[in-house]
Amino acid sequence: MTHDHHTHDHDHPHDHHHDNELDPFAARVKALETILTEKGLIDPAAIDAIVETYEHKVGPRNGARVVAKAWVDQEFAERLARDATAAIASLGYTGRQGEHMQAVFNTPDTHNLIVCTLCSCYPWTVLGVPPVWYKAPPYRSQAVINPRGVLAEFGLKLPEDTRIRVWDSTAELRYMVVPMRPVETDGLSEDELARLVTRDSMIGTGLPLRPGSLGPGALWPPEADPGAGI
Amino acid sequence: MSAPDPAASSGLPFQLPPGAGPDAPVFAEPWQAQAFALAVALNERGLFTWTEWAAALSREVARPGAAADGSDYYAHWLAALEVLLREKGVAGPELVEALSASWQRAAHATPHGQPIRLENDPEFSRR
């Protein structure tokens, strides 16, 4: 933690024969950590735990479990539609910022897409930390102005008469998309179904995988342990 | 929203960046993860609400010159954090600047492979 391997030799104005270097951002973060620790406002171990959680534990597989359960359990799906915060919490996934969740369900007529036009509000509880493109200005503006063009960039072409609803997240209310269950999945278990649910399908920039196509985009490589939740 | 595509009438066109698959690392560099966690921890401690945070971050990302590929997102995040710490009377820019410089001097003075300590700054003096 104190030894930063992510230093770079380019842009390096001096000859420092292999000593350490902190780039300006890393140094600023160090400075803030020092101040906040001395003031008793943070505990460095707790900071490490948060990093560990968001790097390795919270991620879209949480959301995939929510979606798969909604696909197999009508009563859960109805609760998810009515009070997503409570339904998601019932699976053990609770928000850290006290935010409310709303699940928006794709139908044959309507496709849903989530965005945060102002910054980067995102349903961390079920999807983890957002991908870089979600936080970047082009997606934040174009998802509202030209959603079909954005979806085309993701290789998603919807029928002309499909309505696209765009949901703009806030700090208090965050959305997740519940995609439609793929066809030819009747015999699959909830775990197997969860493997078909991609991150992008819960943002609305993709669709779930089809059975037998577990490839790029799958949240679990076949050899990974699907039970390794949080 | 089902109107014909207005060929990107305003703003930047959206292009999916290369290598943007689901397996992309959550944080590009360790400091980004640390900055992220600091905001989460301080919110949980009650120093600011998440609404205050989102407002501060929105102001930063809305500044002109933001990178279209989002690569400067955590720089904005860090700037928002510094603004809130200043507004809450926790740390002003002079202190942050001075300590940042101290950490950089400490890093330069630390032999490779050893942990960087603030005490390694040749100009270090206990405040």
Side-chain angles (χ1 to χ4, degrees):
Chain A
M1 199 53 60
T2 49
H3 182 194
D4 191 344
H5 283 285
H6 289 254
T7 55
H8 303 284
D9 286 334
H10 50 256
D11 301 327
H12 197 303
H14 313 295
D15 175 17
H16 276 296
H17 46 80
H18 298 97
D19 51 9
N20 293 296
E21 188 183 350
L22 287 176
D23 76 45
F25 291 116
R28 296 188 86 79
V29 172
K30 284 281 193 197
L32 296 184
E33 281 180 335
T34 304
I35 295 164
L36 295 166
T37 304
E38 287 185 356
K39 287 182 180 275
L41 289 167
I42 59 160
D43 168 8
I47 297 299
D48 290 347
I50 292 169
V51 171
E52 167 70 15
T53 297
Y54 281 98
E55 279 193 323
H56 300 298
K57 292 182 183 160
V58 176
R61 62 187 65 186
N62 290 6
R65 292 186 171 279
V66 173
V67 170
K69 188 164 183 63
W71 283 347
V72 300
D73 180 342
Q74 185 58 33
E75 189 270 335
F76 179 80
E78 286 165 13
R79 277 197 290 138
L80 185 63
R82 204 167 52 237
D83 183 352
T85 313
I88 291 166
S90 74
L91 298 187
Y93 311 135
T94 51
R96 299 181 84 110
Q97 287 103 31
E99 71 274 21
H100 288 282
M101 284 289 308
Q102 183 174 339
V104 290
F105 291 68
N106 286 350
T107 68
D109 302 325
T110 304
H111 182 88
N112 295 287
L113 180 67
I114 64 172
V115 66
C116 174
T117 56
L118 276 182
C119 52
S120 52
C121 298
Y122 189 71
W124 292 2
T125 311
V126 283
L127 294 187
V129 175
V132 172
W133 52 259
Y134 184 89
K135 303 177 285 197
Y139 181 78
R140 291 181 9 242
S141 61
Q142 293 299 312
V144 176
I145 298 169
N146 181 20
R148 254 170 225 280
V150 167
L151 296 185
E153 263 300 307
F154 285 88
L156 179 54
K157 295 241 191 307
L158 298 171
E160 278 299 316
D161 55 355
T162 300
R163 180 164 166 253
I164 301 176
R165 282 196 77 174
V166 182
W167 302 82
D168 194 357
S169 313
T170 67
E172 295 87 11
L173 180 58
R174 311 195 198 178
Y175 304 96
M176 74 175 288
V177 175
V178 180
M180 285 187 291
R181 179 171 173 164
V183 295
E184 295 163 9
T185 56
D186 286 352
L188 297 189
S189 70
E190 193 174 323
D191 272 353
E192 289 167 328
L193 287 169
R195 295 188 196 201
L196 301 177
V197 183
T198 61
R199 178 195 67 197
D200 288 1
S201 73
M202 294 181 281
I203 297 175
T205 52
L207 297 177
L209 302 173
R210 302 286 291 271
S213 68
L214 283 177
L219 294 172
W220 292 283
E223 67 272 16
D225 170 21
I230 148 177
Chain B
M1 283 297 171
S2 53
D5 287 359
S9 54
S10 72
L12 298 151
F14 176 75
Q15 285 188 315
L16 196 58
D23 295 331
V26 174
F27 302 107
E29 297 191 53
W31 71 263
Q32 299 179 352
Q34 299 286 319
F36 171 84
L38 287 177
V40 171
L42 291 170
N43 163 248
E44 289 179 359
R45 203 181 183 284
L47 190 69
F48 46 76
T49 67
W50 203 254
T51 303
E52 287 179 286
W53 170 257
L57 181 59
S58 301
R59 282 195 297 272
E60 294 303 326
V61 301
R63 290 188 195 285
D69 63 1
S71 58
D72 57 359
Y73 175 74
Y74 282 104
H76 297 309
W77 184 284
L78 181 55
L81 187 56
E82 291 184 30
V83 166
L84 277 178
L85 291 178
R86 187 182 72 228
E87 289 177 359
K88 299 290 178 180
V90 173
E94 302 82 11
L95 178 59
V96 176
E97 286 293 342
L99 263 179
S100 300
S102 186
W103 270 110
Q104 288 189 299
R105 287 191 302 267
H108 283 289
T110 303
H112 190 68
Q114 292 185 20
I116 302 167
R117 296 182 196 286
L118 196 52
E119 292 82 356
N120 295 357
D121 172 15
E123 299 174 31
F124 177 80
S125 60
R126 211 60 214 155
R127 281 155 296 146

